[in-house]
Structure formats: structure tokens, C-alpha cells
Amino acid sequence: MTELEESRLNNLEDHYCIMYAILGRTLMEEFGTDGEAILRQGTRYYGQNRGRIHRQKHLDAGMKINMYNLFTSGGDLPGDTRTFREAQRLNEEERVSHTLTCPMADIWGAYGCMDIGRIYCEEFHCACYSTYAYGYTKVNIAKTLTQEGDEYCAFNVVLRKADLPEELQPVCFEEFDPDYVPPEEVSLPVPGAKEGYRSLWLRLYYFLLQAAVEQKQEQGKKAIEEGLQKLAGTVTEAFQKQKGSIDREFLEENYPLNLDTGQEPMWKDYGNNGAKELAEEAFIKPLLAKCL
Amino acid sequence: MRQIPPDYTKEDIEADHLQDQYTLMFGILGRRILGELGTDGEQALREAVRRYGADRGLRDRQKHLEAGCKINMYSAFNCGAGLPGNKRTHSIRFQSVPEVHTSQVLTCPMAEIWDRYDCFDIGRIYCEEFHFAYYNTYAFGKAKVNLATTLTERGTEYCSFHVLLNPADLSEEEKARCFEEYDEKPEEADLSQFQRISAQEGYRFLYLRLYYYMAVTLQEYLGEQGKETLIHGLHELAGVVRDYIREEEQTPDLCYLENNYPAKMDTSQDPNWMVYQEGSARELLQTEFCDRLMKELQI
């Protein structure tokens, strides 16, 4: 990876995190504990969505739904050069690991939003891994880098054969499926940086909006709108600090969202509650106006 | 015979025996269940631990509500839990507030017993299922239980507990029941109700319920086959308990058993069974374990 590619990758990841932080902060400032409830629910929806898509990808490829496959194949998070993990145990039933450095925690810390990041950690992993394995995964994260005093994230994610109902045992573990023929070559590609973070940003935003509208209707949507407007300012400031003058090409390469919403096919599936129009009006237009 | 620490009283020794026997019962029966019934047995065992955890969580919640305590993580870990105190568990508390409890358990006599009796993997099942069911049931199903390492896993140095209850996850009514700041008229909690229960009383009730849920679930899931395995397990347990007791006391009598074993040898004398009557759990414990043990110990 060239220095330029790495810089783009870092920007894409950072801005995905910043979006969550700014929208999260706005919701909590606007609605207090109710705002936190929206944020948590939106994060759970998002985790469930990713878990469900990951599971379907594995089923389509003829793979078993278990912890080994979950953590080794077809993930939707682009690789990065800043995260360091220490794997301790990985098999069909268990994944035990420590994350020693996390750029997401670093960026949330830099923006004074560690508490928001902590909410992400508490809700996302449980929802995603649990949904992936039909709700039977036990997700234990006793430490996270988004918590003061913790030196690493401690993951202990378990799917026990004995916790599954009979009909799911062969879906998840080879030993219960005597006729199973594993796919000859499984190569589920990890998405590229822009493609990956574009999809993650859009869905995370979409589900935060969904939770906000569900719980606070128009007021909720209004809060997300305010958050997006603030975000446009934050993004502009961050990029200008990094590069001085910015052009559209730089924005397209370094910001996760596709700035031409007409060219973004995902809005078709994630367009409820006026998500696309709101992103366009409250975020993209102000961002382009400020930056260019 | 094991080394007795110099500061130990007779009551401390009894508490250790009671705890060991409670732990052993689960280990020996669990090992037998997995050995004879494989994954089907493990399924029943895990479900039994979950029901046991839920039972304890529900009772503690009720006790706290009656005493005017808020249902939260501070209360769960500090106010009158159903587990008698013991001198062998050492832990460090990092945080214990209404929203979160974070601690590390550095020594666990249960893990040590399971290891000594070759039931370490059975112990791990207990840890995985019990805590989750207990804290979750206690807090209206809204607690987030994170147990990233346990002493029942090889290579770990402590159990790592991080149990959360976020007000934002609760309904308005639950918030008021869990956190003072959401209650317009908070009551003064009557903590005097939470005197430490005696080790005999505490472990007897824990043992009864843990065994009961194992017996019931096993028969519910696996019918006659489950019952047969339970009987085999109780026979094996009687032998293991006999040896354990003989190592500690050459001539045990009924009074010794009363103070050092967490089940009454005449189960009909234990009123706790009144609430736990399903199936033949009590009868099997009586005939296949208690009577046998008494005979083997020549009491």
C-alpha cells in the first residue's frame, strides 16, 4: 500500500467514526437518555443488518455458520494498517482475542467522544455476532479501548453446539451434517476501502435515522438533520487542516459517502424516512459548499 | 487431609466443605451427563444452569424490591446475594455503581475443585450459562453480561466481570425501579433484611435448586435415558463424596453431615423441596444418593 492509499484508507475509516460520534452526540444533547436509547437502538439495527448480510454471504457460499468462519471469511470491514490484534483462540465454537490498538477508539478520543464510542462497542458487536448465528452467540467484551483505564479490547465470542436447536446444528457445524461437502475454494473478498466504508457509513447513518424516527418521529429526524449539518462543518475543518485546499476528487477519494447520491445504488434499499434526501440536503450540499 | 489456615474457625471449615460439595455435585453429575449423553446431555445441562440462574436472579430481584432496593448492578453485587461468604475467593473491584460492575476474581474455589476432580470443562459450562442468566433475569432481561475470561479456562489468570445496566435500555417504569434519579419518590432501602445467611442454610438452598433443575431438565429433554444417567451420576457422586468426607473426618455422623454437606440426608425434612416438586427429583436424590451415602459411611 502506498502512503497515499494508506492516507485515504485512514481518512475513510476516521470519517465513518466521526459521523457516528457527531450524530450520536447530537442525539444525546437533544434528547438526553432518550437520545442515548435512539443511538443504542440504531447501533443494534446496524449490527443486526451486518450480521444478517454476513450470514447470508456464508450460506450462499455453502459455508457453515460458526465462529471460525465469522472471523476469517467474508468480513465487510476493509483491512487497515492501524489495528493490532492478538488472537488467543479461534475455532468453530470460540473466538478469543485482544485488540491492542483501535483507530476507532483513537478518533473518538481525539474528538472527545469516547463515551459515544463506548456505546458503539457495547451495542454493535453483540448485535452483529449474535444475529450472524441466529441469536445463539454469546458475546463477551469485558474490556474495550473506549473505556478509561482499559489497555485492550477483550473479546470472548462463543457459539456452543449444545446451545443450538437441532435444526440449526447442521447449519453451523460440519459434524452434524454427515453429507456436507465443503466448498472447494472459498474466496470471499474483503471490500476495498472506499467501497467498504461507503457501504458501512450509509447503513450506519440509515439505521440511526430509522431509530430516531421510530422513537421521536419528526423531532428525531430534525435532530439527525442538525447532526448532519454539524458534521459537514466538522468534516470541512478536518480536511482543511489536513490538506489546505480541497477539490471534489479529494473528497470522493477520502470521504466514505458517494457525493453524487444519484450514482449510489444502495439508497434503493436504504432510502426509507427520506434518508437519501436528508443526506443530500443537510450534509452533502453544505459540505460541498464549504469545501469547494 | 488439606491444610487448614491458622485463622480458620470451625464455621469457616464447614463453609469450605459445603461449597466444595455443592461444586462437586455439579461437576460429577455434569461430567456423567456429557459422558453418557454427549451434545444432547450438554444441551440439557446448559438449560438447567440457565433455569437455576434465572431462579436465583428472580428471587434476588424480588428480595430487593421488597426491601426497597433499586434493581441495579450496585444492588446485585452488594446487597444480600444468595451466596454465603467464604474466605477462599479473592477479587478486585474496579467499579461498582448502579450502572456497572467491573471486577476480577483472582481465586475461585469452585474452579479449583472442578480442576481437581477433572471436571474443568463442566465448570466452564456453569460459568458461561449461570452468570448470564442470573444478572439478566435479575435486571428485567436488560443487563449486558460480559465475562471475557474465567478461571475455568486453561491459561487465564482471573475471571473478568463487566456487567452493565444502561438506563437508556430500560422502559420508563423500569428506569424508576432501577435508578433513584428516575424515581420521583425513592424509598429508603431496608438493608437490615440482608444479614448474611449461614453457610448451611445458603448452600443447602443453592444445592437443592441446582440439582433440581438438572434432574428436571434432564428428564424433560431425554426422558428415561436422562433419568438413567442421573441415577448413574448420583451413584458416582455418592462414592466421590464418601471419599472426600473420609479424608476430612474418619468417623462422620449425621450431625457432621448436617453441618458439612449441603443436602439434608432425610430430604423430607427440608421444607425447600415444597416449592421444587416437579418430577422425581427429590425421591431420586433420596434413594440414589442420600441413602447410599449414609450406607457407605456406615451411619
Side-chain angles (χ1 to χ4, degrees), chain A residues 8-279:
Chain A
R8 282 177 190 155
L9 169 64
N10 294 346
N11 278 337
L12 291 162
E13 184 175 33
D14 288 352
H15 282 281
Y16 158 74
C17 299
I18 291 169
M19 180 271 287
Y20 183 78
I22 302 293
L23 296 193
R25 178 67 74 221
T26 309
L27 286 167
M28 283 168 67
E29 279 172 1
E30 194 71 28
F31 303 118
T33 309
D34 287 355
E36 186 183 329
I38 292 171
L39 186 61
R40 287 183 181 276
Q41 183 61 59
T43 312
R44 285 194 287 269
Y45 284 153
Y46 170 68
Q48 287 159 4
N49 172 275
R50 283 179 62 185
R52 208 174 295 121
I53 289 174
H54 203 161
R55 181 175 73 204
Q56 196 53 49
K57 216 187 309 184
H58 284 177
L59 290 172
D60 291 345
M63 295 167 73
K64 296 293 173 193
I65 303 303
N66 59 47
M67 293 303 102
Y68 182 82
N69 287 338
L70 172 63
F71 289 100
T72 57
S73 182
D76 57 4
L77 196 66
D80 76 79
T81 57
R82 299 180 295 179
T83 305
F84 292 97
R85 293 188 186 93
E86 191 180 78
Q88 295 177 331
R89 207 157 59 234
L90 178 63
N91 54 52
E92 289 181 328
E93 284 193 304
E94 299 169 301
R95 192 253 194 167
V96 181
S97 74
H98 288 174
T99 301
L100 308 175
T101 60
C102 170
M104 298 178 71
D106 290 342
I107 200 81
W108 283 323
Y111 278 80
C113 296
M114 208 64 133
D115 55 331
I116 308 281
R118 173 73 191 155
I119 289 173
Y120 181 95
C121 297
E122 279 179 17
E123 302 297 345
F124 168 73
H125 298 97
C126 187
C128 179
Y129 305 148
S130 190
T131 303
Y132 169 80
Y134 304 97
Y136 289 97
T137 320
K138 291 186 174 78
V139 184
N140 296 281
I141 311 177
K143 295 179 176 198
T144 67
L145 286 161
T146 46
Q147 190 161 252
E148 208 180 311
D150 284 354
E151 289 152 3
Y152 53 84
C153 309
F155 283 86
N156 186 309
V157 191
V158 176
L159 178 69
R160 294 292 176 207
K161 294 166 187 168
D163 281 341
L164 295 172
E166 227 165 278
E167 66 275 16
L168 284 178
Q169 285 175 339
V171 178
C172 298
F173 296 101
E174 282 190 41
E175 71 185 78
F176 297 98
D177 189 357
D179 300 328
Y180 179 64
V181 181
E184 270 182 20
E185 199 181 320
V186 181
S187 158
L188 298 175
V190 173
K194 172 74 185 186
E195 181 199 352
Y197 282 114
R198 195 192 97 224
S199 167
L200 298 179
W201 191 108
L202 192 146
R203 284 183 284 161
L204 182 52
Y205 152 72
Y206 171 80
F207 286 112
L208 292 179
L209 175 63
Q210 180 178 315
V213 171
E214 265 171 20
Q215 294 186 34
K216 294 283 174 187
Q217 296 78 42
E218 269 310 302
Q219 262 187 305
K221 190 169 177 176
K222 188 90 192 131
I224 295 288
E225 185 182 357
E226 268 172 42
L228 287 171
Q229 285 161 350
K230 278 185 214 161
L231 181 64
T234 307
V235 173
T236 307
E237 210 175 288
F239 279 145
Q240 281 173 346
K241 202 169 156 193
Q242 185 183 350
K243 199 175 175 281
S245 68
I246 305 157
D247 57 21
R248 180 151 183 143
E249 192 188 351
F250 176 86
L251 272 182
E252 291 283 7
E253 283 167 346
N254 288 271
Y255 199 78
L257 190 62
N258 194 338
L259 300 176
D260 182 350
T261 55
Q263 295 299 308
E264 176 52 74
M266 283 185 72
W267 289 119
K268 195 165 154 279
D269 292 326
Y270 298 94
N272 287 347
N273 298 308
K276 180 177 113 174
E277 295 73 19
L278 190 65

Side-chain angles (χ1 to χ4, degrees), chain B residues 246-270:
Chain B
R246 283 259 165 82
E247 254 186 59
E248 299 285 318
E249 174 66 48
Q250 290 297 313
T251 51
D253 56 13
L254 201 53
C255 178
Y256 178 87
L257 284 182
E258 186 80 14
N259 289 324
N260 291 273
Y261 197 79
K264 275 195 178 289
M265 288 298 113
D266 180 355
T267 56
S268 67
Q269 295 300 305
D270 187 341

Side-chain angles (χ1 to χ4, degrees), chain A residues 33-34 36-37 40 44 89 93-94 96 98 118 122-123 138-143 147 150 152 154-156 158 160-166 169 175-176, chain B residues 39-40 42-44 46 50 95 100 102 104 124 128-129 132 144-150 153-154 156 158 160-162 164 166-169 172 175 182:
Chain A
T33 309
D34 287 355
E36 186 183 329
R40 287 183 181 276
R44 285 194 287 269
R89 207 157 59 234
E93 284 193 304
E94 299 169 301
V96 181
H98 288 174
R118 173 73 191 155
E122 279 179 17
E123 302 297 345
K138 291 186 174 78
V139 184
N140 296 281
I141 311 177
K143 295 179 176 198
Q147 190 161 252
D150 284 354
Y152 53 84
F155 283 86
N156 186 309
V158 176
R160 294 292 176 207
K161 294 166 187 168
D163 281 341
L164 295 172
E166 227 165 278
Q169 285 175 339
E175 71 185 78
F176 297 98
Chain B
T39 308
D40 290 346
E42 187 180 336
Q43 210 156 24
R46 285 182 181 273
R50 285 193 288 269
Q95 203 178 6
V100 56
T102 309
Q104 288 179 355
R124 172 73 186 154
E128 279 183 9
E129 302 296 345
F132 187 82
K144 289 188 172 77
V145 183
N146 295 284
L147 197 48
T149 57
T150 66
E153 284 172 291
R154 297 283 170 214
T156 56
Y158 50 81
S160 174
F161 281 86
H162 185 75
L164 302 161
N166 293 309
D169 287 335
E172 290 308 313
K175 273 181 203 159
Y182 294 96

Side-chain angles (χ1 to χ4, degrees), chain B residues 67 115 186 230:
Chain B
D115 196 14
L230 178 66

Side-chain angles (χ1 to χ4, degrees), chain B residues 247-297:
Chain B
E247 254 186 59
E248 299 285 318
E249 174 66 48
Q250 290 297 313
T251 51
D253 56 13
L254 201 53
C255 178
Y256 178 87
L257 284 182
E258 186 80 14
N259 289 324
N260 291 273
Y261 197 79
K264 275 195 178 289
M265 288 298 113
D266 180 355
T267 56
S268 67
Q269 295 300 305
D270 187 341
N272 287 320
W273 282 109
M274 294 295 285
V275 195
Y276 297 92
Q277 291 198 17
E278 203 181 306
S280 50
R282 185 182 73 77
E283 291 74 14
L284 287 174
L285 186 69
Q286 183 67 57
T287 56
E288 308 302 330
F289 174 72
C290 296
D291 295 349
R292 247 182 134 88
L293 178 65
M294 297 278 278
K295 203 170 156 192
E296 299 221 14
L297 291 172

